[in-house]
Amino acid sequence: MRKLFYLVLFLLFFSCDQEEKSQSNLLRKGSKYSRLLSKFKEITIDTLKIYSPPESKGVEFNGTELDSADAVLFPTEIAEQHFGDPPGLFAIYRFIIDGNKLGLIARTPSVYSASSIKLFFFDIAIDSFTSYIELAESLGDAGAYWEKESWLFKDNSNLRAFVRIFESYDNSVENEGDTTIDVSNYYYLIDISQGKLDTISRDNKELLQMFGQLVK
């Protein structure tokens, strides 16, 4: 029994150690992106809720502030937004998508502040970003509020996102006597394995049956 116990401990340690090494080995030596990638916290994907953080410190998706030397490595339009009103880029998480791609989650500039959470796809073989998609955002103006949040997960080898979009409008902005607030929710199941949005389902009823426990 004692031998079996030590064998299990060894196998657990060995598997964790091998995973750490394999993730580290994916980063190309001498890459100009090495310093940037090191600022993203390494994780493995189970089910990760992604949301746009409120304007306060100590929140999970605030991330680590990136400087201009980091920003210039991002896609041109993202870098230009950062330089227009720095700091606008913040490193959050890094994870393996497959043997050739890394996923980098970052907080990026938006309409009023750095409130957009995007997933960037990094191709290890060509040592470059290839694409990105927005997974979370929150915007409010003149009685209207719009929020996107996502749950990122792997289905076998496919990277997918369950997305909720919430919209509300305070009718008293236009009519003081109308205190009602219009509220709508929309749900999407998206395959993002290839670095683009490939919608699998928009059936609100079906998706709530499948993922309703996540949005409670």
Side-chain angles (χ1 to χ4, degrees):
M1 179 66 73
R2 182 175 294 180
K3 289 183 178 179
L4 178 60
F5 174 74
Y6 285 120
L7 176 60
V8 171
L9 282 181
F10 172 77
L11 290 175
L12 285 173
F13 174 80
F14 180 76
S15 62
C16 291
D17 184 56
Q18 287 300 105
E19 182 178 1
E20 294 251 337
K21 287 181 180 178
S22 64
Q23 292 198 18
S24 298
N25 289 340
L26 282 173
L27 302 181
R28 192 185 228 181
K29 291 183 178 179
S31 168
K32 67 180 181 179
Y33 292 92
S34 295
R35 176 176 176 269
L36 170 62
L37 297 182
S38 69
K39 296 184 178 183
F40 288 81
K41 181 180 178 181
E42 189 176 277
I43 62 168
T44 56
I45 290 293
D46 180 10
T47 300
L48 177 66
K49 180 180 179 180
I50 300 173
Y51 60 93
S52 179
E55 293 183 2
S56 59
K57 294 183 178 180
V59 181
E60 179 184 9
F61 285 91
N62 274 350
T64 300
E65 182 180 321
L66 298 177
D67 59 26
S68 295
D70 299 317
V72 75
L73 298 176
F74 278 81
T76 303
E77 62 277 16
I78 300 295
E80 288 177 348
Q81 289 175 346
H82 164 86
F83 291 126
D85 186 20
L89 285 170
F90 302 82
I92 305 174
Y93 291 131
R94 180 185 88 222
F95 63 94
I96 295 173
I97 296 176
D98 58 37
N100 296 315
K101 294 194 294 292
L102 292 177
L104 303 174
I105 297 175
R107 183 159 63 95
T108 70
S110 185
V111 178
Y112 302 113
S113 63
S115 59
S116 175
I117 309 297
K118 292 183 173 67
L119 171 62
F120 292 84
F121 292 80
F122 186 87
D123 190 302
I124 298 162
I126 64 174
D127 197 35
S128 180
F129 288 108
T130 56
S131 61
Y132 61 88
I133 59 174
E134 182 181 74
L135 292 177
E137 171 65 294
S138 59
L139 294 169
D141 185 38
Y145 181 73
W146 186 92
E147 179 184 65
K148 177 194 289 183
E149 57 184 359
S150 301
W151 287 261
L152 201 62
F153 65 97
K154 281 193 174 182
D155 182 8
N156 295 321
S157 59
N158 297 313
L159 184 64
R160 292 182 173 173
F162 170 60
V163 181
R164 169 183 174 261
I165 294 178
F166 170 82
E167 296 178 353
S168 69
Y169 183 73
D170 185 347
N171 291 296
S172 66
V173 173
E174 295 183 5
N175 180 1
E176 292 183 359
D178 187 351
T179 59
T180 62
I181 298 177
D182 296 328
V183 174
S184 299
N185 282 288
Y186 305 95
Y187 303 98
Y188 305 89
L189 180 60
I190 299 169
D191 189 323
I192 53 178
S193 298
Q194 302 306 312
K196 60 182 180 180
L197 300 178
D198 184 6
T199 303
I200 299 172
S201 175
R202 298 183 183 183
D203 188 323
N204 279 7
K205 183 177 180 180
E206 180 185 45
L207 291 175
L208 276 176
Q209 289 177 344
M210 295 171 63
F211 301 102
Q213 71 279 7
L214 296 178
V215 298
K216 287 181 179 179

